[in-house]
Amino acid sequence: DAKTTQPTSMDCAEGRAANLPCNHSTISGNEYVYWYRQIHSQGPQYIIHGLKNNETNEMASLIITEDRKSSTLILPHATLRDTAVYYCIVRSSGGSNYKLTFGKGTLLTVNP
Amino acid sequence: SQTIHQWPATLVQPVGSPLSLECTVEGTSNPNLYWYRQAAGRGLQLLFYSVGIGQISSEVPQNLSASRPQDRQFILSSKKLLLSDSGFYLCAWIGQGGLSLHFGNGTRLTVT
């Protein structure tokens, strides 16, 4: 899997948009970008994934640059409950790529 | 719907004692199964993954082992625990052709 780079930590004011960046400059053509988050003492939770196009669901939006070397997860209206570690990973959709490795992620702190 | 069960939620074991953590998945067949460990303040470390019954791939040499006796059952074991085995152990699965990884609620192991 391609390596990802994320900032160690970020702060965001409650009610504002949280924009979490991720660099994946070595991503290959068949690799998806995934985002997960882990609230303290819980298992990671899937948020969203994408290949080339921007994606949106009820939790967040994912913006992928045209060259696919970086992406941004957007939480449009952050709440205190969004405080968590956010992980960006890349992996291919099939074949023999069974390994899923996580980096250290970004600790997002939403402040009142 | 698919669910994943992990138990126990917390466990305190003395150094040198054996360990057995169990994970079961419901509502799917032939999933890929994973064991991760998270030490305090650290990221997720992939320990083992399995693509089928009896098929185990180890990522980190250590005194832990994994087994998959049934399609939807994944067991993490140790014959003799070390202090460094303390951590948060997470089981996860991904379905055949699926794209997102689903985690259990984890087991917090403290070796004393």
Side-chain angles (χ1 to χ4, degrees):
Chain A
D1 289 334
K3 182 178 178 180
T4 63
T5 304
Q6 298 177 254
T8 302
S9 63
M10 293 182 65
D11 286 335
C12 177
E14 186 178 18
R16 303 296 294 269
N19 298 288
L20 294 99
C22 179
N23 288 325
H24 30 79
S25 58
T26 59
I27 193 170
S28 60
N30 66 343
E31 287 183 315
Y32 286 75
V33 179
Y34 287 79
W35 283 85
Y36 290 81
R37 74 178 182 184
Q38 186 177 23
I39 296 171
H40 183 61
S41 297
Q42 297 181 22
Q45 175 191 23
Y46 164 80
I47 301 174
I48 198 167
H49 74 278
L51 183 63
K52 295 180 180 179
N53 300 322
N54 298 336
E55 302 288 343
T56 296
N57 63 19
E58 66 279 4
M59 292 182 67
S61 295
L62 175 60
I63 307 298
I64 303 174
T65 58
E66 189 170 347
D67 63 8
R68 301 209 325 121
K69 293 185 177 181
S70 65
S71 61
T72 301
L73 179 74
I74 301 173
L75 308 178
H77 305 287
T79 70
L80 298 179
R81 288 177 294 181
D82 291 323
T83 292
V85 177
Y86 288 77
Y87 297 98
C88 166
I89 64 173
V90 294
R91 68 174 289 259
S92 59
S93 61
S96 60
N97 181 25
Y98 304 113
K99 287 175 55 175
L100 293 164
T101 55
F102 288 71
K104 294 184 179 180
T106 297
L107 172 60
L108 173 68
T109 302
V110 180
N111 300 306
Chain B
S1 62
Q2 301 94 348
T3 56
I4 180 169
H5 301 281
Q6 242 189 284
W7 65 93
T10 60
L11 188 61
V12 180
Q13 292 283 102
V15 169
S17 64
L19 172 73
S20 181
L21 300 180
E22 189 164 343
C23 170
T24 60
V25 180
E26 296 178 357
T28 187
S29 60
N30 198 25
N32 291 339
L33 297 171
Y34 302 82
W35 277 112
Y36 287 87
R37 177 172 63 195
Q38 188 172 38
R42 306 288 292 275
L44 291 163
Q45 179 187 34
L46 178 62
L47 301 176
F48 301 95
Y49 66 94
S50 170
V51 300
I53 296 174
Q55 301 179 60
I56 308 295
S57 296
S58 174
E59 288 300 300
V60 183
Q62 58 213 333
N63 68 320
L64 298 173
S65 63
S67 63
R68 186 169 177 176
Q70 300 180 44
D71 180 44
R72 289 169 289 177
Q73 184 185 32
F74 205 23
I75 299 172
L76 183 69
S77 304
S78 174
K79 292 182 180 178
K80 289 185 178 181
L81 284 169
L82 306 173
L83 287 175
S84 58
D85 291 325
S86 293
F88 191 41
Y89 287 82
L90 289 153
C91 180
W93 73 275
I94 187 167
Q96 291 301 319
L99 297 177
S100 60
L101 191 64
H102 303 277
F103 286 85
N105 288 327
T107 294
R108 190 162 300 281
L109 171 67
T110 303
V111 182
T112 61

